[in-house]
Each structure stands twice: as C-alpha cells, then as structure tokens.
Amino acid sequence: MFFRDVTGQDKLKRQLIQLAQEGFIPHARLFCGSAGYGAFPLALAYARYLNCRERTDTDSCGHCPSCLKYTALAHPDLHFVFPMVKADREKDEDVCCDNHLSEWRDFLKTRTYFDLSEWQNYLNTSKTAVIYANEGNMLFHKVSMKIYEADYRVLFIWIPECMKDECANKLLKIIEEPPKNTLVFMVSEEPDNILGTVLSRLQRLNLPPIETDALARVAEEKFGIDPSQSWQFAHIAQGDCLKLADVIQTSDENKLFLELFISIMRNAWTRSVKDMKVLTEKLDRFGRDRQIRFLRYCQRLIRENFMCRFHVREINYMNREEEIFSAKFAEYVNEMNVYEFVSELTEAERHIAQNVNSKMVFFDLSLRIAVLIRRKEE
C-alpha cells in the first residue's frame, strides 16, 4: 500500500512524510480510528516509505527492492501480528501468526479497508479472534536477530486490543527498550481497550473522518455513482470508506425499507387495522436478518426526522428520497414521542433476534406506533 492508496487524510500524510524526511521517527506509534478512516493502509504506507530507497516528496517509488517486497508483503524485516482463532484441540502456545501468513497476505492483497469482522469472515469462523501470548515470544526472537536489509525493522501489530495480557506485558520491554532501528506500529479501532501500560508508551496518531469531497470522488470512481448523487452518499457515510461501500450496496434495499416505513406510519395515522395486518404478513415473509436490518433502518430514520427540527443539514444523513418524505413527516417526531419511538423499535428488534413470532411483533409494533404518532408537543 502507498500513500496514494489512502483516501483523503492529506494532512496526516504530509505530516508523516515530513517527519520521515527530517529523521524524526518515534519507535512506537499507535494509529487509531474507525477501520474505514484508513489507519491500517496509512500505517503500512508509512512503513513502506521509511524503507523505500528512492522515495519522493509525496510517496514511495514502488520499484526499488524494498518496495517490491512490500508489495508482495514479504519483506524479511516486516513482521505482522494479527488476531487469530485457534483450531480445536490446539493449545494457546501453539498458535502463531507466522503459520498463517499466506492467508493474511491473500486477504490484504484484495483489500485496502477492512475491519476485524471481515477478517473473521475470511477465516470462516464465528469464534473471537485473539492475539495469543506466544506472539510476544515470537517477537522477542525476531528482534534478537540482526536486521536483514531494511533501514528499519517494523513490527506491525493489528488490533492490539485483542492481545491477551500476557502478550501485551511481554511487549513492554520491546516498546520501552527497542533494538536499534526497530519500530513498533500498532493499528487500533478501540485504543481505550489496550492494556494501559502499553497504551501509555505509544505515540498516538488519531485519524479523523475522511473529508466528504474525497469520499465523493471514491463513490464516483470506484462505484460509478453519478456526480449528482455522490456527495449525498459520501455525507451519509460520515467519513468512513467501509460505511460508504455499505451505504451504496444497500441503497436498493433502503428504497424498499423507506416504502415500508412510510406504509407503517400511514397505517398508524389512519389506524387501519386491516392494512396493518396486510403489512405484517409482508414483513413476516422477510428472513430474520432482514427484519432486523429493517427495524434498525426505522430507528435511524426516526432519529433523522427528529434532527430535522434543528434545520442544520450537516447533522442529517438522509438520501434524497428520505429527505422528501421527511419534509412533511418530521413534524410528527418530537420531544414527546421520539424516545418511545426508538424504544419500541429497539424492543421489536430484540424480540425478533430472540425468535419471537414476527407477526405478533410487527402487529403489536404497529398498534403502539398508532398511539405515539398522534402525540403532540405541549
């Protein structure tokens, strides 16, 4: 990965490049932020830049021996540590990231932005991924050896909040007294969950949300979104590349969800029990996962309609169709009912997740909304 592969974050790129050129390179850095902000590709691009033999003022060259090995993710002085799931009957001390490097490289070669859940899906497991204590021993062994060829040996630890305390404690000595030209880069989504003694010894770099204009260009160039709609998609994504992809991929489903949401509210206003039953039958034919997604969509739209009353577009995250509907509907979501609206939808989601009969859940929800929608502000 190069700096040019990282969407937005231009200020941080310039900062890292300048520090590298000036030779000010902290030995232990923590890159943190939502996975969709680009902490991982930024940290890896920085590691590549530090070791590039012909780097420019803006990026690595891409063709020197170091860059070629970084492209293959096979540089002998680049060491990855990442959460793993141990196999049945496998002991903690037998789990080693080095034994799964081929899977890790294949995973990275097709992705720039990803999170822990995507990695676990790639591993085809529902178990919790962990960085086991044995990784601390492996890193100690690696740093005891001479650097092969790079200017800087990089220990790259992804999701350090998944480290077992035994592993984190073993890393303390490396972080406090690293061998010459050895760097520790950690990439975290939830830095507050990192062991405090480790966290306090890292120089932290917080990634902000990606600029909306930069995300809009991604929507146009990567997803083929029309320029007239790209900014809207980027705004809804709230500076997150992963969320942008999700917003675009679910746009067709969200159109259906909006139609259903409108029907529920219309039936509630007219108090048409017959129409409520018809809609309940339709929702019952959805699978449980889709029913849950619909209820979460409803919660989001209630929140957005409540925020409409403040007339600040920057804090609203709706597409054009939702905005048109909300222009009239927003007046029915107010301080007297917004909390209960969300509470009823959340309770319905919980019941669906627990396999309660969906016809009962949605019909009861419709009746409760019929009461709430007529509740006016005092």
Side-chain angles (χ1 to χ4, degrees):
M1 296 177 189
F2 296 84
F3 283 124
R4 60 176 174 266
D5 295 324
V6 182
T7 301
Q9 307 295 3
D10 293 338
K11 181 178 179 180
L12 291 182
K13 292 177 192 175
R14 289 193 297 270
Q15 177 184 331
L16 292 172
I17 289 172
Q18 182 179 351
L19 291 175
Q21 292 174 343
E22 293 174 354
F24 181 74
I25 304 167
H27 71 269
R29 299 210 69 154
L30 174 66
F31 297 76
C32 50
S34 172
Y37 293 174
F40 186 95
L42 182 66
L44 191 53
Y46 180 46
R48 175 197 286 263
Y49 188 78
L50 290 173
N51 284 303
C52 177
R53 300 298 185 187
E54 301 177 37
R55 64 193 186 195
T56 69
D57 289 339
T58 57
D59 216 333
S60 305
C61 70
H63 54 73
C64 71
S66 176
C67 278
L68 293 176
K69 290 170 185 175
Y70 261 83
T71 298
L73 300 170
H75 197 293
D77 296 310
L78 173 65
H79 306 284
F80 286 107
V81 173
F82 43 87
M84 283 300 306
V85 176
K86 65 179 180 180
D88 294 338
R89 299 182 180 180
E90 190 176 19
K91 298 178 181 178
D92 285 9
E93 55 267 26
D94 295 331
V95 183
C96 177
C97 292
D98 285 357
N99 295 335
H100 299 275
L101 278 178
S102 60
E103 296 169 87
W104 176 246
R105 288 167 179 156
D106 289 343
F107 177 77
L108 292 183
K109 285 176 181 177
T110 57
R111 295 164 177 81
T112 303
Y113 293 82
F114 53 88
D115 56 17
L116 182 58
S117 63
E118 189 171 352
W119 169 238
Q120 292 186 163
N121 289 337
Y122 184 83
L123 295 176
N124 194 26
T125 180
S126 59
K127 296 180 180 178
T128 302
V130 174
I131 297 176
Y132 292 92
N134 187 43
E135 297 302 335
N137 298 326
M138 295 298 295
L139 289 179
F140 257 106
H141 174 69
K142 290 172 181 176
V143 299
S144 68
M145 301 173 66
K146 183 180 178 181
I147 293 178
Y148 283 92
E149 59 187 64
D151 290 334
Y152 297 97
R153 170 170 44 205
V154 180
L155 310 181
F156 201 107
I157 304 173
W158 180 56
I159 314 294
E161 54 267 39
C162 289
M163 281 193 295
K164 289 204 167 188
D165 287 353
E166 300 95 316
C167 179
N169 287 323
K170 289 177 181 179
L171 285 178
L172 280 176
K173 184 171 177 59
I174 297 177
I175 296 173
E176 289 179 334
E177 301 177 22
K180 185 179 179 180
N181 291 354
T182 294
L183 307 177
V184 179
F185 288 176
M186 297 191 184
V187 177
S188 170
E189 295 177 23
E190 298 178 346
D192 291 341
N193 291 332
I194 299 173
L195 191 67
T197 50
V198 173
L199 185 62
S200 64
R201 289 163 171 79
L202 301 171
Q203 184 171 112
R204 185 164 170 170
L205 185 69
N206 294 311
L207 273 75
I210 298 167
E211 303 86 347
T212 302
D213 289 344
L215 270 188
R217 289 194 294 272
V218 173
E220 295 170 22
E221 297 168 5
K222 182 177 179 180
F223 297 97
I225 301 299
D226 189 272
S228 63
Q229 295 180 301
S230 61
W231 194 92
Q232 192 94 37
F233 278 113
H235 178 63
I236 294 172
Q238 301 179 55
D240 190 306
C241 260
L242 289 178
K243 192 172 182 181
L244 174 68
D246 185 59
V247 168
I248 293 172
Q249 290 165 5
T250 60
S251 59
D252 289 340
E253 184 177 66
N254 284 350
K255 289 179 182 178
L256 170 62
F257 286 170
L258 176 60
E259 293 174 5
L260 294 171
F261 181 87
I262 293 173
S263 296
I264 285 179
M265 297 305 159
R266 183 183 294 119
N267 295 342
W269 180 255
T270 61
R271 299 195 172 183
S272 173
V273 175
K274 179 181 177 181
D275 289 337
M276 289 180 190
K277 288 183 176 179
V278 171
L279 187 56
T280 295
E281 293 285 346
K282 185 173 184 178
L283 290 168
D284 181 59
R285 291 193 289 271
F286 284 7
R288 184 173 61 176
D289 288 344
R290 200 177 196 191
Q291 290 171 343
I292 290 175
R293 291 200 302 274
F294 170 63
L295 288 167
R296 289 176 180 171
Y297 173 86
C298 293
Q299 293 169 48
R300 181 181 71 81
L301 209 54
I302 288 293
R303 178 264 179 200
E304 297 300 338
N305 275 269
F306 181 71
M307 298 304 290
C308 278
R309 65 197 301 103
F310 299 106
H311 305 291
V312 181
R313 191 184 182 198
E314 287 75 15
I315 63 174
N316 268 116
Y317 300 95
M318 295 186 288
N319 60 37
R320 183 60 182 159
E321 292 79 9
E322 292 167 346
E323 286 181 344
I324 293 172
F325 164 70
S326 299
K328 294 183 178 180
F329 178 72
E331 66 182 274
Y332 298 101
V333 182
N334 53 66
E335 292 178 357
M336 297 299 294
N337 62 15
V338 63
Y339 177 81
E340 291 181 74
F341 259 131
V342 174
S343 179
E344 294 294 348
L345 290 164
T346 303
E347 185 75 357
E349 179 189 338
R350 185 174 68 84
H351 286 153
I352 293 296
Q354 293 174 342
N355 258 341
V356 177
N357 184 289
S358 62
K359 288 184 181 179
M360 294 174 56
V361 172
F362 283 110
F363 186 66
D364 180 66
L365 177 64
S366 299
L367 294 175
R368 292 175 183 273
I369 289 176
V371 175
L372 293 175
I373 200 170
R374 290 178 178 269
R375 190 172 293 173
K376 298 288 186 180
E377 292 181 290
E378 295 179 350

